[in-house]
Amino acid sequence: MPALRDIQDLFREGLLGEPSSALVDLVEGNGLDPQARLAVYRHHVFTTLTGSLESTFPVVCRLVDPRFFAYAADAFIRQHPPIGPCLDEYGSAFPEFLADFDACRPLPYLPDVARLEWAIHRACQAPVCEPLDPARLGSVAPSDIAQLRFLPRAGLVYVASPWPVDAIWRAHGDASQAMPDLGSGSVRLEISPSTEGVLIRSLDPGSYALRVALSRGKTLEEAVSTASALDLERAIRSFLDDRIFSHFTITTAEGA
Amino acid sequence: MDGPACATLEAVRRDYPVSLHGVGLSLGTAGPLDRRHLERLRQLADRIEPCLVSEHLSWSTVGGAYLNHLLPLPYTAETLGVVAEHVEEVQEALGRRVLIENPSSYLRFRHSSIGEPQFLAELARRTGCGLVCDVNNIYVSAWNVGLDAEAYLDALPAGAVGEIHLAGHAVNDADGRTILIDDHGSRVTSPVWALYRKALERFGAVPTLIEWDADIPELEVLLGEARTADDFLAWATRRDEHARAA
């Protein structure tokens, strides 16, 4: 009698690829080809995962047409089946997959649109936590300011692209907006959850570099060194006003 | 756990009792349970304080891949040991009894040596778990793999059934043969209502859920389905009271 684990391995291979004769032989026909019975399960797995990807990447789906999207999703699911039980967490590898998917080469901006959609999706799921009150920084000694580190609020993501992906995203999410000029230049975007929905901010290169470095745990001094041509005082005031961080610590003294 | 979905659930919980119905624990996987997922479920249950917690007699994960479906199990002594151990682990982690639901089946394994309702009965006896009786699943499975739906109801331990599920199903063609798909996308069919009545005769007026999560219709249609179930439940309650009085 086959062991349960062996059956489950055969089933996985049969769902993501073609069912082996060893698997087919385990299934009662009872008036129907065992392969047709196995196909019911495969169909459900692929249609629900494709539907999940469509709802996470609706603009990518519109840009390529739903039939092509289903074709790409089919290949993605076989290569990257979910690794956790929560469907909301499925699809993080889809932008990179599209970047390597030959059939998508005529649309070079597509992976970056997918990155933006994944960031929006994660921001939608994230809790809207209390932002850092800038007044709390008043207690920091001037000598410690360079060593400040900031903890980003949940769901904060940065996306940079040589394509105007925010305008592409808006144009395909709202029929009243025209498709942007693809040559209109690069964008640096900050995506964050808020009580009014997901915010997408377009940042100048200096502010983008500063905020990315801070969100990755660099000290203020280290982050400033990555951001050239920056009005520092204005940039710091701006990220505090935008309330993108929830806490701060100081590396050389006690944390706050 | 702190996202908007959980906040919505908490808002619902303030006004209604909630039954948590899981699809991701993969109780039938030959291997350890996903402890991270179980811990998330425990935290959710602590927060929501549900009236009931249930899962399925199925599996979905092997070798690190989650195949998001309630996949079929061979009903053998080995499988019974695996599922019973996992149900006990879940009950211990949550500090409560859970209910296990019969799946909808599209195939049966040749080497299954135990009938599905007998398997569920033995699982309930070994672990003390309760059962969700999904009447539509029984109907769908009976058609697809050749079971006697009424004999299935008779073989379930009446005292263990703590919740009943109802749903619509799709009628599909597979190689020229009709196969029923449990798609939760339409009204409960007449034969399923008839089987529901028999389930109430056997299990009493058990809390009943209409599952409709695909092609969701106008609210009035859903409320109509719920009212029909309520009418059956009212009948079953009167029947139970008469039986007690007699």
Side-chain angles (χ1 to χ4, degrees), chain B residues 95-111:
Chain B
R96 64 185 297 155
R97 183 190 199 217
V98 298
L99 280 63
I100 304 302
E101 178 181 326
N102 57 298
S104 46
S105 300
Y106 307 100
L107 64 76
R108 200 158 55 173
F109 289 100
R110 289 183 189 282
H111 64 290

Side-chain angles (χ1 to χ4, degrees), chain B residues 165-227:
Chain B
H165 285 182
L166 296 167
H169 54 256
V171 180
N172 284 16
D173 177 82
D175 289 350
R177 213 200 107 163
T178 296
I179 195 152
L180 304 184
I181 307 290
D182 173 41
D183 69 346
H184 299 182
S186 56
R187 290 176 192 269
V188 178
T189 61
S190 298
V192 172
W193 284 120
L195 197 58
Y196 176 50
R197 183 186 158 111
K198 291 193 184 304
L200 292 177
E201 283 175 11
R202 176 147 169 72
F203 308 131
V206 177
T208 300
L209 171 75
I210 308 275
E211 296 185 294
W212 196 328
D213 45 50
D215 294 329
I216 295 171
E218 294 296 313
L219 180 62
E220 193 47 45
V221 177
L222 284 175
L223 293 175
E225 293 285 275
R227 274 194 297 273

Side-chain angles (χ1 to χ4, degrees), chain B residues 34-99:
Chain B
D34 179 342
R35 304 267 152 71
R36 181 173 158 260
H37 191 56
L38 180 56
E39 173 57 18
R40 290 201 296 197
L41 179 63
R42 188 193 65 74
Q43 289 175 14
L44 183 67
D46 282 354
R47 197 153 148 182
I48 298 298
E49 298 180 343
C51 54
L52 298 167
V53 178
S54 52
E55 250 292 351
H56 294 82
L57 177 62
S58 65
W59 69 280
S60 49
T61 180
V62 65
Y66 275 81
L67 305 161
N68 52 303
H69 199 358
L70 304 169
L71 297 173
L73 289 163
Y75 297 127
T76 63
E78 183 202 6
T79 306
L80 188 55
V82 166
V83 178
E85 190 179 313
H86 288 160
V87 168
E88 281 169 352
E89 186 179 345
V90 172
Q91 293 189 136
E92 193 165 319
L94 301 184
R96 64 185 297 155
R97 183 190 199 217
V98 298
L99 280 63

Side-chain angles (χ1 to χ4, degrees), chain A residues 41-64:
Chain A
Y41 292 95
R42 188 188 310 114
H43 179 76
H44 179 93
V45 167
F46 278 82
T47 50
T48 53
L49 288 179
T50 300
S52 169
L53 291 169
E54 275 176 8
S55 68
T56 303
F57 301 97
V59 171
V60 169
C61 185
R62 260 171 246 147
L63 283 166
V64 298

Side-chain angles (χ1 to χ4, degrees), chain A residues 90-107:
Chain A
Y90 186 55
S92 63
F94 194 54
E96 297 313 313
F97 168 84
L98 291 177
D100 292 334
F101 197 52
D102 277 343
C104 288
R105 297 231 183 274
L107 303 177

Side-chain angles (χ1 to χ4, degrees), chain B residues 124-148:
Chain B
R125 192 193 65 78
R126 276 198 201 180
T127 67
C129 75
L131 300 176
V132 172
C133 173
D134 189 315
V135 174
N136 183 59
N137 286 358
I138 294 175
Y139 184 79
V140 164
S141 298
W143 178 276
N144 291 336
V145 302
L147 303 174
D148 179 332

